[in-house]
PDB file of all heavy atoms in Angstrom:
ATOM      1  N   LEU A  25      41.743  28.062-217.644  1.00 98.00           N
ATOM      2  CA  LEU A  25      40.564  28.985-217.773  1.00 98.00           C
ATOM      3  C   LEU A  25      40.771  29.980-218.993  1.00 98.00           C
ATOM      4  O   LEU A  25      39.831  30.138-219.794  1.00 98.00           O
ATOM      5  CB  LEU A  25      40.399  29.888-216.521  1.00 98.00           C
ATOM      6  CG  LEU A  25      39.300  30.831-216.446  1.00 98.00           C
ATOM      7  CD1 LEU A  25      37.894  30.144-216.478  1.00 98.00           C
ATOM      8  CD2 LEU A  25      39.446  31.722-215.173  1.00 98.00           C
ATOM      9  N   HIS A  26      41.910  30.610-219.054  1.00 98.00           N
ATOM     10  CA  HIS A  26      42.133  31.580-220.158  1.00 98.00           C
ATOM     11  C   HIS A  26      42.098  30.920-221.528  1.00 98.00           C
ATOM     12  O   HIS A  26      41.627  31.446-222.475  1.00 98.00           O
ATOM     13  CB  HIS A  26      43.417  32.320-219.909  1.00 98.00           C
ATOM     14  CG  HIS A  26      43.513  33.126-218.623  1.00 98.00           C
ATOM     15  ND1 HIS A  26      44.518  33.859-218.212  1.00 98.00           N
ATOM     16  CD2 HIS A  26      42.582  33.190-217.687  1.00 98.00           C
ATOM     17  CE1 HIS A  26      44.307  34.404-217.071  1.00 98.00           C
ATOM     18  NE2 HIS A  26      43.043  34.031-216.674  1.00 98.00           N
ATOM     19  N   ARG A  27      42.726  29.698-221.619  1.00 98.00           N
ATOM     20  CA  ARG A  27      42.715  28.995-222.897  1.00 98.00           C
ATOM     21  C   ARG A  27      41.308  28.640-223.318  1.00 98.00           C
ATOM     22  O   ARG A  27      40.931  28.765-224.475  1.00 98.00           O
ATOM     23  CB  ARG A  27      43.573  27.711-222.734  1.00 98.00           C
ATOM     24  CG  ARG A  27      43.800  26.967-224.049  1.00 98.00           C
ATOM     25  CD  ARG A  27      44.941  25.938-223.829  1.00 98.00           C
ATOM     26  NE  ARG A  27      44.650  25.037-222.802  1.00 98.00           N
ATOM     27  CZ  ARG A  27      45.566  24.762-221.829  1.00 98.00           C
ATOM     28  NH1 ARG A  27      46.784  25.314-221.827  1.00 98.00           N
ATOM     29  NH2 ARG A  27      45.307  23.834-220.890  1.00 98.00           N
ATOM     30  N   TRP A  28      40.462  28.189-222.391  1.00 98.00           N
ATOM     31  CA  TRP A  28      39.087  27.901-222.726  1.00 98.00           C
ATOM     32  C   TRP A  28      38.340  29.186-223.118  1.00 98.00           C
ATOM     33  O   TRP A  28      37.574  29.142-224.160  1.00 98.00           O
ATOM     34  CB  TRP A  28      38.403  27.364-221.421  1.00 98.00           C
ATOM     35  CG  TRP A  28      36.904  27.160-221.555  1.00 98.00           C
ATOM     36  CD1 TRP A  28      36.243  26.113-222.093  1.00 98.00           C
ATOM     37  CD2 TRP A  28      35.894  28.134-221.162  1.00 98.00           C
ATOM     38  NE1 TRP A  28      34.864  26.365-222.128  1.00 98.00           N
ATOM     39  CE2 TRP A  28      34.712  27.517-221.513  1.00 98.00           C
ATOM     40  CE3 TRP A  28      35.991  29.338-220.544  1.00 98.00           C
ATOM     41  CZ2 TRP A  28      33.496  28.221-221.236  1.00 98.00           C
ATOM     42  CZ3 TRP A  28      34.791  30.026-220.281  1.00 98.00           C
ATOM     43  CH2 TRP A  28      33.559  29.437-220.597  1.00 98.00           C
ATOM     44  N   TYR A  29      38.531  30.252-222.487  1.00 98.00           N
ATOM     45  CA  TYR A  29      37.877  31.522-222.834  1.00 98.00           C
ATOM     46  C   TYR A  29      38.173  31.983-224.195  1.00 98.00           C
ATOM     47  O   TYR A  29      37.258  32.406-224.956  1.00 98.00           O
ATOM     48  CB  TYR A  29      38.203  32.585-221.784  1.00 98.00           C
ATOM     49  CG  TYR A  29      37.588  33.974-222.048  1.00 98.00           C
ATOM     50  CD1 TYR A  29      36.207  34.115-221.752  1.00 98.00           C
ATOM     51  CD2 TYR A  29      38.290  35.007-222.708  1.00 98.00           C
ATOM     52  CE1 TYR A  29      35.663  35.389-221.994  1.00 98.00           C
ATOM     53  CE2 TYR A  29      37.654  36.182-222.985  1.00 98.00           C
ATOM     54  CZ  TYR A  29      36.366  36.397-222.650  1.00 98.00           C
ATOM     55  OH  TYR A  29      35.750  37.596-222.867  1.00 98.00           O
ATOM     56  N   ARG A  30      39.417  31.834-224.685  1.00 98.00           N
ATOM     57  CA  ARG A  30      39.746  32.278-225.995  1.00 98.00           C
ATOM     58  C   ARG A  30      38.986  31.535-227.067  1.00 98.00           C
ATOM     59  O   ARG A  30      38.806  32.053-228.165  1.00 98.00           O
ATOM     60  CB  ARG A  30      41.243  32.146-226.162  1.00 98.00           C
ATOM     61  CG  ARG A  30      42.145  33.218-225.446  1.00 98.00           C
ATOM     62  CD  ARG A  30      43.546  33.138-225.900  1.00 98.00           C
ATOM     63  NE  ARG A  30      44.247  31.990-225.458  1.00 98.00           N
ATOM     64  CZ  ARG A  30      44.899  31.900-224.334  1.00 98.00           C
ATOM     65  NH1 ARG A  30      44.970  32.894-223.506  1.00 98.00           N
ATOM     66  NH2 ARG A  30      45.631  30.742-223.996  1.00 98.00           N
ATOM     67  N   VAL A  31      38.615  30.407-226.770  1.00 98.00           N
ATOM     68  CA  VAL A  31      37.852  29.569-227.750  1.00 98.00           C
ATOM     69  C   VAL A  31      36.268  29.667-227.621  1.00 98.00           C
ATOM     70  O   VAL A  31      35.587  29.762-228.627  1.00 98.00           O
ATOM     71  CB  VAL A  31      38.234  28.010-227.588  1.00 98.00           C
ATOM     72  CG1 VAL A  31      37.416  27.144-228.542  1.00 98.00           C
ATOM     73  CG2 VAL A  31      39.717  27.865-227.904  1.00 98.00           C
ATOM     74  N   HIS A  32      35.872  29.813-226.375  1.00 98.00           N
ATOM     75  CA  HIS A  32      34.406  29.703-226.121  1.00 98.00           C
ATOM     76  C   HIS A  32      33.688  30.949-225.698  1.00 98.00           C
ATOM     77  O   HIS A  32      32.529  30.918-225.505  1.00 98.00           O
ATOM     78  CB  HIS A  32      34.172  28.636-225.086  1.00 98.00           C
ATOM     79  CG  HIS A  32      34.629  27.281-225.426  1.00 98.00           C
ATOM     80  ND1 HIS A  32      33.950  26.449-226.274  1.00 98.00           N
ATOM     81  CD2 HIS A  32      35.786  26.612-225.084  1.00 98.00           C
ATOM     82  CE1 HIS A  32      34.620  25.316-226.393  1.00 98.00           C
ATOM     83  NE2 HIS A  32      35.710  25.338-225.696  1.00 98.00           N
ATOM     84  N   SER A  33      34.440  31.997-225.581  1.00 98.00           N
ATOM     85  CA  SER A  33      33.746  33.288-225.137  1.00 98.00           C
ATOM     86  C   SER A  33      32.661  33.775-226.106  1.00 98.00           C
ATOM     87  O   SER A  33      32.918  33.647-227.391  1.00 98.00           O
ATOM     88  CB  SER A  33      34.772  34.384-224.889  1.00 98.00           C
ATOM     89  OG  SER A  33      35.486  34.706-226.078  1.00 98.00           O
ATOM     90  N   ARG A  34      31.668  34.373-225.557  1.00 97.00           N
ATOM     91  CA  ARG A  34      30.634  34.982-226.449  1.00 97.00           C
ATOM     92  C   ARG A  34      31.027  36.303-226.987  1.00 97.00           C
ATOM     93  O   ARG A  34      31.761  37.089-226.299  1.00 97.00           O
ATOM     94  CB  ARG A  34      29.286  35.052-225.701  1.00 97.00           C
ATOM     95  CG  ARG A  34      28.631  33.741-225.319  1.00 97.00           C
ATOM     96  CD  ARG A  34      27.474  33.947-224.346  1.00 97.00           C
ATOM     97  NE  ARG A  34      28.002  34.331-223.059  1.00 97.00           N
ATOM     98  CZ  ARG A  34      27.195  34.513-221.983  1.00 97.00           C
ATOM     99  NH1 ARG A  34      25.873  34.412-222.085  1.00 97.00           N
ATOM    100  NH2 ARG A  34      27.708  34.813-220.789  1.00 97.00           N
ATOM    101  N   ASP A  35      30.618  36.701-228.132  1.00 97.00           N
ATOM    102  CA  ASP A  35      30.861  37.981-228.715  1.00 97.00           C
ATOM    103  C   ASP A  35      29.794  38.945-228.206  1.00 97.00           C
ATOM    104  O   ASP A  35      28.695  39.084-228.820  1.00 97.00           O
ATOM    105  CB  ASP A  35      30.855  37.921-230.234  1.00 97.00           C
ATOM    106  CG  ASP A  35      31.225  39.184-230.873  1.00 97.00           C
ATOM    107  OD1 ASP A  35      31.774  40.075-230.201  1.00 97.00           O
ATOM    108  OD2 ASP A  35      30.941  39.391-232.126  1.00 97.00           O
ATOM    109  N   LEU A  36      30.094  39.663-227.177  1.00 98.00           N
ATOM    110  CA  LEU A  36      29.166  40.594-226.563  1.00 98.00           C
ATOM    111  C   LEU A  36      29.653  42.064-226.759  1.00 98.00           C
ATOM    112  O   LEU A  36      30.819  42.341-226.698  1.00 98.00           O
ATOM    113  CB  LEU A  36      29.052  40.334-225.006  1.00 98.00           C
ATOM    114  CG  LEU A  36      28.563  38.900-224.715  1.00 98.00           C
ATOM    115  CD1 LEU A  36      28.605  38.647-223.200  1.00 98.00           C
ATOM    116  CD2 LEU A  36      27.164  38.656-225.234  1.00 98.00           C
ATOM    117  N   PRO A  37      28.708  42.997-227.028  1.00 98.00           N
ATOM    118  CA  PRO A  37      29.167  44.369-227.343  1.00 98.00           C
ATOM    119  C   PRO A  37      29.963  45.044-226.308  1.00 98.00           C
ATOM    120  O   PRO A  37      30.891  45.872-226.606  1.00 98.00           O
ATOM    121  CB  PRO A  37      27.772  45.087-227.592  1.00 98.00           C
ATOM    122  CG  PRO A  37      26.753  44.171-226.993  1.00 98.00           C
ATOM    123  CD  PRO A  37      27.250  42.808-227.035  1.00 98.00           C
TER     124      PRO A  37
END
Side-chain angles (χ1 to χ4, degrees):
L25 178 68
H26 298 183
R27 187 165 55 229
W28 171 85
Y29 178 78
R30 286 192 289 270
V31 175
H32 298 283
S33 61
R34 291 169 290 181
D35 183 16
L36 301 174

